[in-house]
Amino acid sequence: MIVLLGATGYVGQAFGRALRERGHAFAALTRKEVNYTRFDVLLNYLRSARPSFLINAAGYTGTPNVDACEAARAETLEGNTLFPQTVAHACLAAGVPWGHVSSGCIYSGAKVVVDGEIRIEKDLTRPELKPLILNGRSAIHGYREGDTPNFSFRAPPCSFYSGTKALAEEAIAGVGQSYLWRLRIPFDEFDNPRNYLTKVQRYPRVYDNVNSLSHRADFANACLELWEKDAPFGIYNVTNPGFITTRQVIAMVQRILKPNREFEFWANDEEFYKIGAKTPRSNCVLDVSKLLATGVKLRSVEEALEDALRNWKT
Ligand SMILES: NC(=O)c1ccc[n+]([C@@H]2O[C@H](COP(=O)([O-])OP(=O)(O)OC[C@H]3O[C@@H](n4cnc5c(N)ncnc54)[C@H](OP(=O)(O)O)[C@@H]3O)[C@@H](O)[C@H]2O)c1
């Protein structure tokens, strides 16, 4: 039996569906029924239930977005840094292998090859990078699992949310038998305020940047597959291979959904951060070659987006 924490959440629901589809028996715990955020409660539960695996899809993300975490710093730190350590040590003590939903939002930018040299570029909106992003995809490389986070408390600026996610990775990496699955900007075909494809259609003005993205069901299935195939524990970037600009996503929305509206974009970062956002946003490209090397197969980000939009359900 598998234990699923945070099953009521946006990511947890995808794990619930994937577990059912893959035929795994699981117990979906809610804090209301079993307060799994307390070490003693969780440890006692694990010792008596003796699950074969635990999935931690619980955490504090802020509603409607990470700006809310700036005003709820204690909850953000508790939910994203302290709580994962509680889970890590309870699982270690009970001998239960587990997986934690981490985030790619601990990075900014990508590695860019210019004149044969590879360098870190934190801001992919710089105009001189546009031709490389649009035409020279081989010049853009994502961050790998071992790269030090560059959008964290140790490498500011960052959002408070990202800082807490990066600290959690530091604190739990190597404790017991754990996977750290890095999710990035979830989307799928189900209209939902948490779905990136819903968000881009509802923003009065859209912020253009470059990102790797995760199809929600692809993410949950890939995470489970890692465990099913006994892949080595550790950190994995779990995004659909490739990257895409927000403008390209909007072009797909216009081509496939044909909405009866025009889309406006923020003129630049200065305008977006002055009016549209309170805290810095992570925009980044992740490298998924470690995940693919295990034999887990994932569709490209373009394919997954095309599929989600063609099957769009409101
Ligand atoms: N959504 C994203 O864009 C995104 C991107 C990257 C990573 N992640 C990570 O994925 C995980 C789940 O995110 P989500 O978007 O599914 O969040 P969500 O929809 O808000 O759900 C989180 C769930 O966690 C549980 N929980 C436990 N402690 C909590 C706390 N202190 N505050 C709030 N909820 C708490 C709640 O379940 P019960 O109370 O029912 O037990 C809640 O339903 C988080 O670790 C998040 O950092 C999310």
Side-chain angles (χ1 to χ4, degrees):
M1 184 270 281
I2 294 171
V3 169
L4 174 58
L5 308 182
T8 51
Y10 187 60
V11 179
Q13 286 167 27
F15 272 108
R17 268 195 297 273
L19 285 165
R20 273 189 291 277
E21 281 166 16
R22 300 175 86 86
H24 291 294
F26 69 100
L29 299 195
T30 63
R31 283 178 297 172
K32 236 184 193 167
E33 293 155 5
V34 178
N35 187 1
Y36 55 77
T37 63
R38 279 188 43 185
F39 179 79
D40 55 338
V41 174
L42 182 59
L43 182 58
N44 285 340
Y45 178 85
L46 295 178
R47 282 190 168 147
S48 83
R50 303 173 66 84
S52 51
F53 192 60
L54 177 146
I55 296 164
N56 176 30
Y60 188 86
T61 53
T63 307
N65 58 43
V66 293
D67 280 339
C69 293
E70 302 294 317
R73 292 186 169 207
E75 290 81 355
T76 307
L77 190 64
E78 199 287 325
N80 299 327
T81 307
L82 302 182
F83 164 64
Q85 288 182 81
T86 300
V87 180
H89 289 281
C91 285
L92 176 67
V96 176
W98 69 294
H100 170 69
V101 181
S102 188
S103 176
C105 73
I106 57 180
Y107 293 103
S108 181
K111 298 173 192 171
V112 180
V113 181
V114 181
D115 299 330
E117 301 261 315
I118 191 153
R119 62 177 164 79
I120 301 281
E121 179 55 70
K122 283 182 93 167
D123 179 7
L124 297 174
T125 64
R126 294 200 306 123
E128 59 271 37
L129 295 173
K130 205 170 176 181
L132 293 182
I133 290 162
L134 295 182
N135 309 319
R137 294 203 151 222
S138 58
I140 308 292
H141 296 260
Y143 293 107
R144 304 198 62 160
E145 287 78 355
D147 291 324
T148 304
N150 65 355
F151 193 78
S152 68
F153 293 139
R154 298 193 196 282
C158 70
S159 64
F160 194 79
Y161 169 76
S162 290
T164 62
K165 294 297 282 186
L167 268 189
E169 282 207 358
E170 272 183 38
I172 63 180
V175 178
Q177 299 180 301
S178 62
Y179 293 107
L180 273 70
W181 302 307
R182 288 181 181 155
L183 169 72
R184 186 79 196 116
I185 314 185
F187 70 92
D188 63 12
E189 61 273 37
F190 303 106
D191 192 15
N192 184 301
R194 308 299 296 277
N195 182 345
Y196 176 61
L197 289 175
T198 299
K199 290 185 181 191
V200 293
Q201 292 181 71
R202 294 206 186 142
Y203 292 136
R205 252 187 270 178
V206 183
Y207 177 58
D208 189 30
N209 214 309
V210 186
N211 279 294
S212 292
L213 312 175
S214 305
H215 183 283
R216 198 161 55 128
D218 289 3
F219 170 83
N221 279 295
C223 294
L224 293 177
E225 213 180 317
L226 279 173
W227 172 66
E228 286 165 0
K229 57 168 65 223
D230 258 336
F233 293 109
I235 303 176
Y236 289 86
N237 295 335
V238 188
T239 61
N240 293 88
F243 59 86
I244 196 151
T245 70
T246 327
R247 275 185 197 274
Q248 289 170 327
V249 174
I250 291 293
M252 290 179 85
V253 167
Q254 284 174 313
R255 172 167 57 82
I256 299 168
L257 297 184
K258 301 188 180 9
N260 189 20
R261 64 163 284 198
E262 299 296 313
F263 288 92
E264 272 182 49
F265 289 82
W266 294 101
N268 48 39
D269 268 26
E270 200 186 332
E271 190 189 62
F272 174 62
Y273 285 117
K274 206 165 148 195
I275 309 168
K278 289 196 181 87
T279 187
R281 295 293 192 272
S282 150
N283 291 280
C284 67
V285 178
L286 297 184
D287 179 304
V288 286
S289 44
K290 180 179 176 187
L291 175 73
L292 299 180
T294 66
V296 170
K297 291 190 175 40
L298 272 177
R299 325 177 260 187
S300 71
V301 67
E302 289 88 355
E303 224 181 310
L305 281 166
E306 180 96 17
D307 183 55
L309 289 168
R310 291 212 176 279
N311 293 294
W312 189 245
K313 292 169 187 64
T314 51

